[in-house]
């Protein structure tokens, strides 16, 4: 049986970990391999390797660093299909979706290739007479990245290329549920010429994570996962003096105004609700239908859902795969009973959807609830599965109030033909990423990705300019050369003249 080992100091770790976990193929229910779970000793070995590599990598010129990044970019582009197959085998998402994830990751790598431009500081000549002031951005040291199961390639690559481009060394702790993509990525970094130890991977669970959070050598932590864990990461890492950004869970709304093109809105709701079986932090989980379009919109969504092909991600034509584990499938399925018990209308029951795959897979078909109220668990909880709720709202204002009252603030979309309403919405809505007639508004790589409220703990968003700021410290230098007019001894506070 295949064993996925840690990657430390530029090669697979050949020591034995005391614990290991199963890796499933969610489409067949089979155990496809095992992954080592790091204890403190393996984490320490990875951090030591990263610390040893840091001095050399920090000193590597920007030209050298961007050269390695360009090399990595070429390898990632060339191996997109191979990597997509790894993702589908362990995560279950269909191949086209897996390829899309890698394409978005590539955009971040390409952004990081521009590191010579990204790290340009400011320079003020003659800020005071004969005195120049300038800023330089320097790496932090060893940084830890902890990622979730739902984007095993893209989420690590939101962070790793920028951290490395900025001169840091990295310890990645990917999800234990689909760990192989991180090893394929490690091999590509090595092949691209990244010095050994600059990128390391430790697998495992809370034990490995908690050691990273407490390790004195780790200077910063980037985390993506559920809100309760994000809060734990933020609190613990900050208490140990680290810079931390912890991206959490979500409950994304799609507000549909009465003037919207309902065909477009229904397509968008189905695509964004059921893509990747709803296991996306930017998935739409609540459609807010503003009166009087609710009945029309629900009918259009339901008819599209009936056409969706659910099955094994490798089968041509399949659009939606299984859920990640049997436990998660059962938890999500439990919301179907909870919604009915709370009084919502189960318009489409995903348990009845035909499945193109093995009976043992972790399946649940697309599900639609109508007349969902804000106090029902299908609305309050992040379900993270193929369950879409429609909430009816009497007015634009009621829709905005509903979204703003939600504790999460990751993504939101508005569908309308009214530019004025859209502009007002983007101003009033308390959510970090807004789509106007775009259901999944994941920003391009040269902006930054991040939610508000309980969808992000910390100040910096992921990738883009925030990513560069997060992985660097700014130093301001005030310099005077060969100026005889320095004024001799003076104990007064220096003034700029
Ligand atoms: P998770 O919180 O269970 O796990 C995330 C990571 O934390 C994994 O590496 C896991 O091993 C580790 N972990 C789990 N429990 C831990 C604990 N108690 N202490 C320390 N570490 C722990 O999340 P998941 O199920 O892998 O991913 C799904 C969640 O991630 C959803 O809530 C989703 O919204 C969120 N997510 C958010 C974003 C975003 O950008 N905001 C992006 C993707 C996923």
């Amino acid at each position: 049986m295949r064993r996925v080992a840690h990657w430390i100091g530029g090669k697979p770790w050949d020591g034995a970990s005391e614990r290991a976990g199963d890796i499933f193929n969610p489409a067949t229910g089979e155990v496809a391999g095992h992954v080592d779970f790091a204890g403190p000793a393996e984490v320490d070995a990875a951090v030591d390797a990263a610390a040893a590599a840091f001095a050399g990598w920090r000193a590597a010129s920007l030209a050298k660093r961007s050269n390695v990044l360009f090399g990595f970019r070429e390898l990632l582009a060339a191996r997109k299909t191979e990597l997509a197959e790894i993702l589908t085998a362990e995560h279950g998402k269909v191949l086209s979706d897996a390829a899309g994830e890698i394409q978005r990751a590539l955009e971040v790598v390409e952004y990081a290739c521009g590191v010579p431009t990204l790290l340009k500081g400011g320079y003020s000549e003659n800020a005071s007479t004969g005195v120049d002031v300038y800023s330089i951005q320097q790496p932090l040291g060893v940084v830890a990245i902890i990622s979730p199961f739902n984007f095993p390639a893209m989420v690590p690559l939101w962070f790793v290329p920028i951290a490395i481009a900025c001169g840091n060394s990295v310890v990645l702790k990917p999800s234990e549920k689909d760990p192989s993509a991180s090893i394929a990525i490690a091999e590509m970094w090595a092949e691209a010429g990244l010095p050994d130890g600059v990128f390391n991977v430790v697998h495992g669970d809370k034990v490995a994570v908690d050691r990273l959070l407490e390790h004195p050598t780790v200077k910063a932590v980037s985390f993506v996962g559920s809100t309760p864990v994000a809060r734990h990461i933020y609190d613990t890492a900050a208490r140990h003096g680290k810079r931390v950004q912890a991206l959490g869970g979500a409950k994304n709304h799609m507000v549909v105004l009465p003037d919207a093109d309902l065909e477009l809105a229904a397509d968008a709701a189905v695509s964004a609700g059921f893509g990747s079986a709803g296991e996306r932090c930017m998935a739409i989980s609540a459609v807010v239908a503003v009166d009087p379009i609710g009945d029309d919109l629900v009918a259009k969504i339901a008819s599209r859902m009936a056409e969706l092909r659910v099955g094994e991600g490798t089968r041509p034509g399949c659009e939606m795969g299984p859920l990640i584990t049997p436990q998660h499938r059962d938890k999500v399925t439990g919301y179907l009973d909870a919604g009915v018990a709370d009084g919502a209308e189960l318009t489409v029951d995903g348990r009845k959807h035909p499945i193109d795959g093995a009976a043992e897979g972790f399946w649940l078909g697309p599900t639609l609830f109508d007349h969902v109220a804000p106090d029902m668990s299908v609305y309050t909880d992040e379900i993270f599965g193929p369950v879409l709720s429609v909430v009816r709202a009497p007015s634009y204002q009621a829709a905005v109030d509903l979204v703003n009252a939600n504790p999460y603030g990751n993504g939101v979309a508005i569908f309308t033909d009214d530019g004025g309403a859209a502009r007002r919405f983007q101003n009033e809505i308390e959510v970090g990423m807004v789509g106007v007639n775009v259901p999944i508004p994941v920003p391009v790589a040269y902006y930054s990705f991040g939610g508000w409220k309980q969808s992000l703990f910390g100040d910096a968003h992921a990738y883009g300019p925030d990513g560069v700021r997060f992985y660097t410290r700014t130093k301001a230098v005030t310099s005077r050369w060969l100026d005889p007019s320095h004024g001799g001894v003076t104990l007064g506070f220096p003034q700029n003249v």
Side-chain angles (χ1 to χ4, degrees), residues 292-304:
I293 48 135
D295 290 349
D296 275 1
L297 184 61
V298 167
K300 288 179 194 303
I301 291 173
S303 71
R304 284 161 171 78

Side-chain angles (χ1 to χ4, degrees), residues 17 66 206 243 259 280 322 331 342 382 387 440 450 456 472:
S17 287
S66 79
K206 181 173 170 55
R243 186 177 287 194
D259 61 66
R280 288 182 185 144
K331 185 176 165 208
D342 286 345
E382 181 187 34
V387 180
I440 305 187
L456 186 140
T472 54

Side-chain angles (χ1 to χ4, degrees), residues 193-470:
L194 189 72
D196 292 349
V198 177
F199 179 67
N200 307 276
V201 182
V202 289
H203 301 290
D205 56 5
K206 181 173 170 55
V207 175
V209 171
D210 285 350
R211 178 60 190 154
L212 282 169
L213 300 182
E214 291 163 7
H215 200 296
T217 306
V218 173
K219 299 295 179 222
V221 177
S222 299
F223 170 87
V224 180
S226 58
T227 287
V229 182
R231 191 182 280 116
H232 162 70
I233 302 286
Y234 184 73
D235 290 350
T236 313
R239 201 166 58 247
H240 286 85
K242 301 179 197 322
R243 186 177 287 194
V244 47
Q245 53 179 182
L247 284 70
K251 191 80 189 178
N252 305 309
H253 297 73
M254 173 174 152
V255 174
V256 185
L257 297 189
D259 61 66
D261 177 336
L262 293 193
E263 303 296 336
L264 177 76
D267 283 346
V270 172
S271 310
F274 303 115
S276 201
E279 290 175 327
R280 288 182 185 144
C281 66
M282 290 292 272
I284 293 294
S285 56
V287 171
V288 186
V290 177
D291 289 346
I293 48 135
D295 290 349
D296 275 1
L297 184 61
V298 167
K300 288 179 194 303
I301 291 173
S303 71
R304 284 161 171 78
M305 288 169 64
E307 303 297 316
L308 290 179
R309 199 156 145 220
V310 180
E312 288 190 24
T314 49
R315 294 196 183 172
C318 280
E319 295 159 287
M320 188 185 118
L323 291 164
I324 186 72
T325 59
Q327 295 79 9
H328 187 56
R329 188 263 322 272
D330 294 346
K331 185 176 165 208
V332 174
T333 307
Y335 281 102
L336 275 57
D337 296 327
V340 171
D342 286 345
E345 193 176 302
L346 184 55
T347 310
V348 181
D349 184 339
R351 289 169 292 204
K352 298 179 181 159
H353 200 95
I355 303 295
D356 186 1
E360 296 76 15
F362 312 144
W363 307 107
L364 176 64
T367 294
L368 183 66
F369 275 114
D370 193 9
H371 296 289
V372 169
D375 59 348
M376 297 177 183
S377 64
V378 285
Y379 178 78
T380 55
D381 297 3
E382 181 187 34
I383 299 175
F384 219 57
V387 180
L388 190 60
S389 292
V390 177
V391 184
R392 309 287 186 108
S395 63
Y396 164 87
Q397 193 57 49
V400 168
D401 291 347
L402 179 79
V403 176
N404 284 350
N406 196 282
Y408 296 106
N410 213 39
V412 70
I414 185 166
F415 277 71
T416 179
D417 273 354
D418 180 342
R423 188 169 183 277
R424 188 176 152 194
F425 183 82
Q426 78 187 24
N427 173 267
E428 293 175 345
I429 211 73
E430 290 173 22
V431 174
M433 293 172 282
V434 181
V436 176
N437 297 320
V438 172
I440 305 187
V442 173
V444 289
Y446 41 96
Y447 284 75
S448 298
F449 179 108
W452 286 12
K453 300 189 272 186
Q454 293 192 25
S455 294
L456 186 140
F457 301 86
D459 307 309
H461 289 194
Y463 65 75
D466 269 23
V468 175
R469 268 193 296 277
F470 185 79

